[in-house]
Amino acid sequence: MITSSLKINPITHLLNAVVRVPGSKSLTNRALLIASLANGTTHLTNALFSDDSRYFAKALQTLGFDVQLEEASYKMTVTGLGGKIPANKAELFIGNAGTAARFLSAFLTLGNGEYILDGEPRMRERPIGDLVDSLTQLGATLSPLSQRERSEGEGEVSSICPPVKITASGLPGGKTKIAGNISSQFLSALLMVAPYAQSEIEITLSTELNSKPYVDMTLSIMKDFGVEIERDGYKRFEIHPNSYSLIPNYPIESDASAASYFFAAPVICGGTVKVENISRKSVQGDIAFLDVLQQMGCSVTETDNCILVTGHSELHGIDVDMRDIPDTAQTLAAIAPFASSPTRIRGIASARVKETDRVHATCTELARLSVQVEEHEDGMTIHPCQTFKPASIQTYNDHRMAMAFSLIGLRFDGVTIENPSCVSKTFPNYFEVLETLR
C-alpha cells in the first residue's frame, strides 16, 4: 500500500532483473480516438490502464460510445461509429490528462451539439489557445468559459485554457496554421480528426515542430488504420476526406517513457536490466533515450523484442538537446549527478507547461538533495555530486517527478518521495515494479 510518502531503500548489489512496463499511454490514447472514429469494434490489447487513459475512455462512454474495459487482461474494446458522436450534449471531466484535453477538443468538433471540456485546477492552467485558434480557422466554434479568459477578451488566444465549450455541427475544413513549439499534441489532434472533416484540410506549421517523434507516431497509427496523408516534412500537411479502416485486434507496445526509468536504473546501480515487449524499432520517440545512455557510457543490446541496458563504473556527463524526447529529461536529470562531468539538458522549454513546470521543479528538488544545478530557460546544467543530503522530494502531483527521483534513492539512502500515488497517472504499479529490481 502506498502512503502519503514513501522511503526508497537503496539496492546494494549489481542489478540483474527482468521487468515489463505497462502499455504506451501515447499509443493507447491515439488508438482509443481512432478506434472510436472507425466503423466497428476494435480490441486494444496491452492497453494502459491509468488515470489518463481512464479519463479518455470515460469521456468516450459519456459521449455514448460502447467502450468496455477489462483491466485484469489489459484490454479495451471500442465500438466506433464511422465518425459520428452519439451524444449531442455532454460535460466531460478529464482530470489533468493533457493528451485527452487536446485530442477531445478536436474530436468534439466532429459532433453535432454542445460539449463542455474541463479538468483539475492544473488543467485550467495548461494552454490550448493555439489549438482552439487553429480549429476556429477550420470553421469550428470553441469558446473559453473561465472568468479570467472572458475578461481578457478575444485577443488573448495564447491564454485560453480549459474549461472550453465546443458548439459543433461537423468540422467544415479548409486551411489552418498551428504553432509546433508549444505541444505536438495540438498537431496530432488535428491530424487524427481531419479525415472526417467536411472538406480537405491543409495544416501549415507557423514555428519549428518540437517532439517530432510524437507526430511520427500519430502518422504511423493513422497509417495502421488505413489513412495516409500528404506532407512537406514537418512544415505542411494535407488531409483529404477519408475514413479509418476497422482493425479487430490492435496490440499496444509497452510504454517507452515508462521504460526509461528501468533503462536508467542499471546506469545508477550497475548491472543489467532487461525490459520486455519493446524494441528499438518502436514508433515511440522516447526509445531514443537509449542513445543518450550510450553517449554516457552504457551498453545497450536487443534480443527477442526485449532491450537490455548495462551500466558501467565510468559515467560521462553530456550536452544533449532533448526537444524531441522531453518526457525523459527528468530521467536523465536523476542520472546526471552520478556522472563524472556536468550534464547540460537543452531544448525542453515546452516541459514548463506539463503537469508542473518540470524544468523549475526538477532543479528545485535536485538542489534539495544538495546537487549543484543551474536552471536555464530551455533546460538545466547538473553537476556531479559526491555527497547527497537526505530529503523529502516534492512531486508537484507530477508522476514523472516521483518516478525519476526514486531512481536516486536506489543508490543514496535518504530519498523519500512525497505523494507517491501520483504515479497512477500513467504507471499505477510503478513502485511495485521498482521493487522487483531487488
Side-chain angles (χ1 to χ4, degrees), residues 368-383:
R368 200 185 297 278
L369 288 163
S370 289
V371 176
Q372 185 188 343
V373 57
E374 285 119 38
E375 180 176 341
H376 312 294
E377 185 54 39
D378 75 331
M380 63 198 84
T381 300
I382 302 162
H383 296 269

PDB file of all heavy atoms in Angstrom, residues 368-383:
ATOM      1  N   ARG A 368      17.459  20.453  -3.420  1.00  0.00           N
ATOM      2  CA  ARG A 368      17.054  19.971  -2.100  1.00  0.00           C
ATOM      3  C   ARG A 368      17.948  18.801  -1.651  1.00  0.00           C
ATOM      4  O   ARG A 368      18.192  18.601  -0.463  1.00  0.00           O
ATOM      5  CB  ARG A 368      15.591  19.523  -2.148  1.00  0.00           C
ATOM      6  CG  ARG A 368      14.904  19.455  -0.797  1.00  0.00           C
ATOM      7  CD  ARG A 368      13.501  18.877  -0.919  1.00  0.00           C
ATOM      8  NE  ARG A 368      12.602  19.679  -1.715  1.00  0.00           N
ATOM      9  CZ  ARG A 368      11.938  20.754  -1.282  1.00  0.00           C
ATOM     10  NH1 ARG A 368      12.104  21.158  -0.032  1.00  0.00           N
ATOM     11  NH2 ARG A 368      11.112  21.416  -2.073  1.00  0.00           N
ATOM     12  N   LEU A 369      18.473  18.044  -2.616  1.00  0.00           N
ATOM     13  CA  LEU A 369      19.379  16.922  -2.336  1.00  0.00           C
ATOM     14  C   LEU A 369      20.847  17.353  -2.288  1.00  0.00           C
ATOM     15  O   LEU A 369      21.747  16.522  -2.213  1.00  0.00           O
ATOM     16  CB  LEU A 369      19.206  15.840  -3.412  1.00  0.00           C
ATOM     17  CG  LEU A 369      17.906  15.033  -3.367  1.00  0.00           C
ATOM     18  CD1 LEU A 369      17.677  14.327  -4.692  1.00  0.00           C
ATOM     19  CD2 LEU A 369      17.938  14.024  -2.219  1.00  0.00           C
ATOM     20  N   SER A 370      21.068  18.691  -2.369  1.00  0.00           N
ATOM     21  CA  SER A 370      22.416  19.283  -2.395  1.00  0.00           C
ATOM     22  C   SER A 370      23.168  19.031  -3.705  1.00  0.00           C
ATOM     23  O   SER A 370      24.395  19.042  -3.737  1.00  0.00           O
ATOM     24  CB  SER A 370      23.271  18.793  -1.208  1.00  0.00           C
ATOM     25  OG  SER A 370      22.792  19.372  -0.021  1.00  0.00           O
ATOM     26  N   VAL A 371      22.426  18.809  -4.776  1.00  0.00           N
ATOM     27  CA  VAL A 371      23.049  18.732  -6.105  1.00  0.00           C
ATOM     28  C   VAL A 371      23.170  20.153  -6.648  1.00  0.00           C
ATOM     29  O   VAL A 371      22.216  20.929  -6.592  1.00  0.00           O
ATOM     30  CB  VAL A 371      22.193  17.873  -7.060  1.00  0.00           C
ATOM     31  CG1 VAL A 371      22.791  17.874  -8.467  1.00  0.00           C
ATOM     32  CG2 VAL A 371      22.059  16.449  -6.535  1.00  0.00           C
ATOM     33  N   GLN A 372      24.349  20.493  -7.165  1.00  0.00           N
ATOM     34  CA  GLN A 372      24.544  21.819  -7.769  1.00  0.00           C
ATOM     35  C   GLN A 372      23.907  21.811  -9.156  1.00  0.00           C
ATOM     36  O   GLN A 372      24.239  20.987 -10.015  1.00  0.00           O
ATOM     37  CB  GLN A 372      26.034  22.146  -7.882  1.00  0.00           C
ATOM     38  CG  GLN A 372      26.296  23.567  -8.401  1.00  0.00           C
ATOM     39  CD  GLN A 372      27.766  23.819  -8.703  1.00  0.00           C
ATOM     40  OE1 GLN A 372      28.637  23.077  -8.246  1.00  0.00           O
ATOM     41  NE2 GLN A 372      28.042  24.841  -9.496  1.00  0.00           N
ATOM     42  N   VAL A 373      22.959  22.720  -9.377  1.00  0.00           N
ATOM     43  CA  VAL A 373      22.221  22.746 -10.643  1.00  0.00           C
ATOM     44  C   VAL A 373      21.935  24.189 -11.030  1.00  0.00           C
ATOM     45  O   VAL A 373      21.686  25.034 -10.172  1.00  0.00           O
ATOM     46  CB  VAL A 373      20.911  21.928 -10.520  1.00  0.00           C
ATOM     47  CG1 VAL A 373      20.038  22.433  -9.391  1.00  0.00           C
ATOM     48  CG2 VAL A 373      20.140  21.908 -11.832  1.00  0.00           C
ATOM     49  N   GLU A 374      22.031  24.471 -12.319  1.00  0.00           N
ATOM     50  CA  GLU A 374      21.678  25.800 -12.842  1.00  0.00           C
ATOM     51  C   GLU A 374      20.477  25.663 -13.761  1.00  0.00           C
ATOM     52  O   GLU A 374      20.450  24.807 -14.622  1.00  0.00           O
ATOM     53  CB  GLU A 374      22.844  26.406 -13.637  1.00  0.00           C
ATOM     54  CG  GLU A 374      23.972  26.922 -12.778  1.00  0.00           C
ATOM     55  CD  GLU A 374      25.282  26.198 -13.079  1.00  0.00           C
ATOM     56  OE1 GLU A 374      25.543  25.893 -14.252  1.00  0.00           O
ATOM     57  OE2 GLU A 374      26.025  25.917 -12.124  1.00  0.00           O
ATOM     58  N   GLU A 375      19.474  26.502 -13.528  1.00  0.00           N
ATOM     59  CA  GLU A 375      18.259  26.478 -14.344  1.00  0.00           C
ATOM     60  C   GLU A 375      18.405  27.445 -15.515  1.00  0.00           C
ATOM     61  O   GLU A 375      18.831  28.589 -15.348  1.00  0.00           O
ATOM     62  CB  GLU A 375      17.051  26.879 -13.479  1.00  0.00           C
ATOM     63  CG  GLU A 375      15.736  26.891 -14.226  1.00  0.00           C
ATOM     64  CD  GLU A 375      14.550  27.206 -13.319  1.00  0.00           C
ATOM     65  OE1 GLU A 375      14.671  27.065 -12.081  1.00  0.00           O
ATOM     66  OE2 GLU A 375      13.492  27.608 -13.855  1.00  0.00           O
ATOM     67  N   HIS A 376      18.054  26.983 -16.710  1.00  0.00           N
ATOM     68  CA  HIS A 376      18.048  27.815 -17.912  1.00  0.00           C
ATOM     69  C   HIS A 376      16.624  27.865 -18.463  1.00  0.00           C
ATOM     70  O   HIS A 376      15.789  27.030 -18.101  1.00  0.00           O
ATOM     71  CB  HIS A 376      18.992  27.244 -18.975  1.00  0.00           C
ATOM     72  CG  HIS A 376      20.349  26.878 -18.454  1.00  0.00           C
ATOM     73  ND1 HIS A 376      21.248  27.814 -17.983  1.00  0.00           N
ATOM     74  CD2 HIS A 376      20.957  25.672 -18.305  1.00  0.00           C
ATOM     75  CE1 HIS A 376      22.346  27.194 -17.583  1.00  0.00           C
ATOM     76  NE2 HIS A 376      22.191  25.896 -17.760  1.00  0.00           N
ATOM     77  N   GLU A 377      16.370  28.801 -19.330  1.00  0.00           N
ATOM     78  CA  GLU A 377      15.025  28.928 -19.906  1.00  0.00           C
ATOM     79  C   GLU A 377      14.601  27.632 -20.589  1.00  0.00           C
ATOM     80  O   GLU A 377      13.454  27.211 -20.502  1.00  0.00           O
ATOM     81  CB  GLU A 377      14.980  30.094 -20.908  1.00  0.00           C
ATOM     82  CG  GLU A 377      13.589  30.369 -21.472  1.00  0.00           C
ATOM     83  CD  GLU A 377      12.526  30.592 -20.401  1.00  0.00           C
ATOM     84  OE1 GLU A 377      12.820  31.237 -19.375  1.00  0.00           O
ATOM     85  OE2 GLU A 377      11.397  30.112 -20.596  1.00  0.00           O
ATOM     86  N   ASP A 378      15.559  26.978 -21.247  1.00  0.00           N
ATOM     87  CA  ASP A 378      15.210  25.778 -22.031  1.00  0.00           C
ATOM     88  C   ASP A 378      15.723  24.489 -21.401  1.00  0.00           C
ATOM     89  O   ASP A 378      15.753  23.449 -22.055  1.00  0.00           O
ATOM     90  CB  ASP A 378      15.762  25.894 -23.447  1.00  0.00           C
ATOM     91  CG  ASP A 378      17.274  25.668 -23.508  1.00  0.00           C
ATOM     92  OD1 ASP A 378      17.970  25.961 -22.509  1.00  0.00           O
ATOM     93  OD2 ASP A 378      17.762  25.178 -24.540  1.00  0.00           O
ATOM     94  N   GLY A 379      16.154  24.528 -20.122  1.00  0.00           N
ATOM     95  CA  GLY A 379      16.677  23.300 -19.527  1.00  0.00           C
ATOM     96  C   GLY A 379      17.492  23.549 -18.273  1.00  0.00           C
ATOM     97  O   GLY A 379      17.161  24.427 -17.468  1.00  0.00           O
ATOM     98  N   MET A 380      18.586  22.817 -18.134  1.00  0.00           N
ATOM     99  CA  MET A 380      19.364  22.913 -16.886  1.00  0.00           C
ATOM    100  C   MET A 380      20.765  22.348 -17.095  1.00  0.00           C
ATOM    101  O   MET A 380      21.007  21.584 -18.038  1.00  0.00           O
ATOM    102  CB  MET A 380      18.649  22.150 -15.765  1.00  0.00           C
ATOM    103  CG  MET A 380      18.504  20.665 -16.017  1.00  0.00           C
ATOM    104  SD  MET A 380      17.243  19.850 -14.976  1.00  0.00           S
ATOM    105  CE  MET A 380      15.753  20.190 -15.917  1.00  0.00           C
ATOM    106  N   THR A 381      21.681  22.738 -16.205  1.00  0.00           N
ATOM    107  CA  THR A 381      23.022  22.143 -16.129  1.00  0.00           C
ATOM    108  C   THR A 381      23.157  21.503 -14.749  1.00  0.00           C
ATOM    109  O   THR A 381      22.938  22.166 -13.727  1.00  0.00           O
ATOM    110  CB  THR A 381      24.117  23.199 -16.328  1.00  0.00           C
ATOM    111  OG1 THR A 381      23.948  23.804 -17.623  1.00  0.00           O
ATOM    112  CG2 THR A 381      25.495  22.559 -16.245  1.00  0.00           C
ATOM    113  N   ILE A 382      23.508  20.217 -14.732  1.00  0.00           N
ATOM    114  CA  ILE A 382      23.585  19.450 -13.486  1.00  0.00           C
ATOM    115  C   ILE A 382      25.024  19.004 -13.276  1.00  0.00           C
ATOM    116  O   ILE A 382      25.642  18.429 -14.177  1.00  0.00           O
ATOM    117  CB  ILE A 382      22.659  18.219 -13.541  1.00  0.00           C
ATOM    118  CG1 ILE A 382      21.215  18.668 -13.808  1.00  0.00           C
ATOM    119  CG2 ILE A 382      22.751  17.410 -12.254  1.00  0.00           C
ATOM    120  CD1 ILE A 382      20.311  17.574 -14.304  1.00  0.00           C
ATOM    121  N   HIS A 383      25.557  19.285 -12.104  1.00  0.00           N
ATOM    122  CA  HIS A 383      26.958  18.968 -11.804  1.00  0.00           C
ATOM    123  C   HIS A 383      27.065  17.650 -11.032  1.00  0.00           C
ATOM    124  O   HIS A 383      26.120  17.244 -10.346  1.00  0.00           O
ATOM    125  CB  HIS A 383      27.584  20.119 -11.011  1.00  0.00           C
ATOM    126  CG  HIS A 383      27.640  21.392 -11.784  1.00  0.00           C
ATOM    127  ND1 HIS A 383      28.729  21.752 -12.556  1.00  0.00           N
ATOM    128  CD2 HIS A 383      26.720  22.389 -11.939  1.00  0.00           C
ATOM    129  CE1 HIS A 383      28.485  22.909 -13.137  1.00  0.00           C
ATOM    130  NE2 HIS A 383      27.274  23.324 -12.786  1.00  0.00           N
TER     131      HIS A 383
END
